Structure formats: structure tokens, C-alpha cells
Amino acid sequence: MVNAVTKQGTNNFHGSAFGFFQDASLTSREFFAKQNNLAKPDTNQQQWGGTIGGPIVRDKAHFFFSLERVAHQSAASP
């Protein structure tokens, strides 16, 4: 996906980063797994990304880049 925007930028570099990680130790068993006394399935979720922007040519051209990634692995209850 490409998104082009015309907007005045800055002559300084700016950016941000984020991360979110969750595994089976941070989740509880589902309602029906509890009712049937089943083991908790192994799950793993990772979400991370960041942004960066700054000048290409001082006072003339600027850039901005953003990235976000999501990885989700889950297993059904036995």
C-alpha cells in the first residue's frame, strides 16, 4: 500500500517504536475449556512497529516511514 501526503515537514529526525508481546503464561483458559477441565492451549502474539520521518533536502523535501507487524499463533483447545 502506498500513501502519499503533501504536508510541511521538519528539518529534524523524529520517530517512535512500540512492542506488544503476549504468551500463554499471560492468558487464562477459555470458558468452555474451564467447564470441561481441559488444558490451556499454547498461544503467542507479537505486535511491533515504529515510525521515522525527517528531511531529504533541507526545507524542501521530507519523508515519513511507518511499519507494523503482527504475528499470532494459537492452538485450539484439545
Side-chain angles (χ1 to χ4, degrees):
M1 175 179 182
V2 175
N3 184 12
V5 177
T6 58
K7 184 177 178 183
Q8 184 176 353
T10 178
N11 288 317
N12 298 320
F13 285 96
H14 294 280
S16 64
F18 67 90
F20 172 78
F21 303 98
Q22 179 180 1
D23 63 4
S25 67
L26 299 172
T27 59
S28 66
R29 289 188 298 166
E30 298 172 348
F31 174 78
F32 293 108
K34 286 181 185 178
Q35 294 296 325
N36 296 315
N37 201 21
L38 298 174
K40 181 170 51 170
D42 188 26
T43 59
N44 184 5
Q45 179 176 342
Q46 300 176 356
Q47 181 175 357
W48 55 271
T51 63
I52 187 163
I56 296 173
V57 177
R58 187 172 178 81
D59 294 327
K60 298 289 182 187
H62 303 86
F63 76 96
F64 181 80
F65 179 77
S66 174
L67 174 70
E68 180 177 353
R69 300 301 252 175
V70 176
H72 183 77
Q73 299 171 350
S74 64
S77 296

